[in-house]
Amino acid sequence: MKKLALIGECMIELNGEPFGNMRQTYGGDTLNTATYVARVSSPDDIEVSYVSALGVDKLSEGMIAHWQSDGINTRWVLRDEERSAGLYLIQLDKQGERTFLYWRNQSAARYLLQHPDYPKVLSALKKVDMIYLSGISLAILPETDRTLLLEQLREWKKSGVEIAFDSNFRPKLWESLEQAQQCYQALLPLVDVALVTFDDESLLWGDVDEQATIARLSVFNIPKIIVKQGRLGATICEKGTQHFVPTIPVEQVVDTTSAGDSFNAGFLAGYLQNKPLKICCQQGNQLAGIVIQHKGAIIEKSATAHLRALFNER
C-alpha cells in the first residue's frame, strides 16, 4: 500500500448568487484532491491522509465526518479550540468561470505548525510515500512557519519521501510577486512531481507558453513536470522527453472550481500505482471532465463512483 499525505486548508464554501440561493458545503485545493484520490482509488492500494487543522465546532465536526465517509484518514487533522475553518464565497459567470471572496486570516489551518500536537504529525510524515502540497498550502502560513515547512520538506525528502507540488498561485495571498517567487524557488529543487497550471505560471513568471514553463522548471531538475493547459489537455516532460495528452471535450461546463484539483487526483491515483504518465494524465482529464459538469468543488460521490473500478482494473 502507498501512503499519500496532503497538506493544506479546507474552508467552508458558500456557492450561489449573493442575496439569493446559497449552498453551504466545503472545499480547498488540497482537500479537493484528497477527496477525489480517495474516491477513485482502492483503499487497499492507496491510503489518503489529510494534514490540516480545524476547530471543535459543529461545522468542523461535520467536515471531518464527510472526509471520513470519503475514505480519507483524518488522524492528522488537528483540532484548535480557539479557531475554526475559514470561509469562501464562489460567484460564477455564464461560462462557468468563477471568482472568489475569502475570509481566512484566523483560520485554524493557518496556524497548523504552531499547534502543540504538530510535532507528532511531523514525525509521522517521514513514513509516507508521498507528500502533496500547493502554493496555497504555503501562502496561508505566517512567514516564519512557511520557512519552517520548507525546512521540514527537506528533511522528509532526505527520508525518501516524494514531494508533489501544484503551484496554484493566488496573488491576493502573497505580500508581493517577489515573495511568492522566492518561496517557490526554495521549494522547487525538492519537487519530484510538478503539477502546474500554465495560466498560474504565466501570471507568476510571465511564461509565454508551456515550453517556457517546462524550460524554467527543468532548471530545478524536477524529474516529472506536468503542465496543465485547461480544456486543451496537459504536456508531460520526463527526462527531457515531452508528450501532449489532449482532453476529451465535454458538452457543458457548469463550474470549473475544482478542475485542476480533480485532474491532480486522477493523476496521482495512477502515479501511485506506477502507471505510465500518459495514463495518469488521461485519468486526470477524465475525472476533471466529470467534475466540471457539476456545481461546487466537491460533487456528489455517485457522479464519479464508476471511476474506481475503471482506474483500478488489473
Side-chain angles (χ1 to χ4, degrees), residues 11-257:
M11 306 174 71
I12 301 162
E13 174 188 309
L14 296 178
N15 194 326
E17 293 295 327
F19 307 109
N21 294 324
M22 300 294 293
R23 176 172 175 262
Q24 177 189 301
T25 179
Y26 58 86
D29 63 339
T30 53
L31 188 280
N32 302 339
T33 298
T35 297
Y36 291 120
V37 174
R39 286 185 180 181
V40 303
S41 302
S42 166
D44 295 329
D45 292 333
I46 302 174
E47 180 186 65
V48 180
S49 299
Y50 198 53
V51 182
S52 189
L54 286 177
V56 295
D57 53 278
K58 288 186 177 180
L59 281 173
S60 295
E61 292 287 351
M63 289 162 72
I64 287 179
H66 278 288
W67 302 351
Q68 291 172 341
S69 71
D70 275 319
I72 298 173
N73 169 24
T74 61
R75 65 177 178 269
W76 298 333
V77 178
L78 305 181
R79 311 303 294 274
D80 188 326
E81 295 185 359
E82 298 180 2
R83 303 178 181 90
S84 59
L87 171 71
Y88 70 101
L89 169 67
I90 300 177
Q91 296 174 300
L92 298 175
D93 65 19
K94 293 181 179 179
Q95 287 72 46
E97 293 299 329
R98 72 273 194 225
T99 56
F100 296 86
L101 293 173
Y102 292 97
W103 295 267
R104 76 196 318 166
N105 286 344
Q106 292 302 313
S107 74
R110 175 174 166 79
Y111 298 95
L112 170 66
L113 273 68
Q114 299 178 27
H115 194 286
D117 290 335
Y118 180 73
K120 298 177 183 178
V121 176
L122 183 63
S123 177
L125 289 178
K126 291 181 180 180
K127 300 175 184 178
V128 302
D129 295 288
M130 172 176 278
I131 290 174
Y132 171 92
L133 74 162
S134 74
I136 295 175
S137 307
L138 295 165
I140 64 168
L141 299 175
E143 188 168 1
T144 53
D145 290 1
R146 191 182 303 141
T147 301
L148 180 58
L149 180 57
L150 289 170
E151 293 173 358
Q152 292 165 353
L153 286 164
R154 291 188 188 96
E155 292 304 312
W156 290 323
K157 173 93 172 179
K158 290 177 183 177
S159 299
V161 178
E162 282 194 279
I163 307 297
F165 177 62
D166 180 346
S167 57
N168 215 357
F169 175 58
R170 298 292 179 267
K172 291 183 180 180
L173 295 179
W174 297 91
E175 292 180 7
S176 66
L177 201 66
E178 293 73 23
Q179 183 192 50
Q181 289 174 340
Q182 290 172 6
C183 182
Y184 284 27
Q185 286 173 331
L187 173 63
L188 288 170
L190 307 176
V191 172
D192 297 284
V193 182
L195 291 156
V196 303
T197 300
F198 172 70
D199 288 347
D200 288 345
E201 299 300 290
S202 179
L203 184 62
L204 179 57
W205 302 101
D207 294 348
V208 295
D209 55 28
E210 74 281 357
Q211 293 303 315
T213 297
I214 289 170
R216 179 176 47 75
L217 292 175
S218 295
V219 172
F220 296 96
N221 296 315
I222 299 170
K224 299 168 182 68
I225 299 169
I226 295 85
V227 182
K228 294 171 283 183
Q229 297 160 253
R231 61 183 177 82
L232 299 176
T235 299
I236 302 165
C237 181
E238 182 180 22
K239 298 178 181 179
T241 301
Q242 293 187 31
H243 299 282
F244 177 71
V245 183
T247 61
I248 299 174
V250 301
E251 291 185 3
Q252 183 178 14
V253 176
V254 174
D255 184 352
T256 60
T257 298

Side-chain angles (χ1 to χ4, degrees), residues 271-289:
Y271 182 82
L272 291 169
Q273 293 186 67
N274 300 313
K275 293 182 179 181
L277 296 188
K278 181 179 178 180
I279 301 299
C280 297
C281 283
Q282 289 173 343
Q283 288 190 184
N285 286 335
Q286 188 170 4
L287 178 52

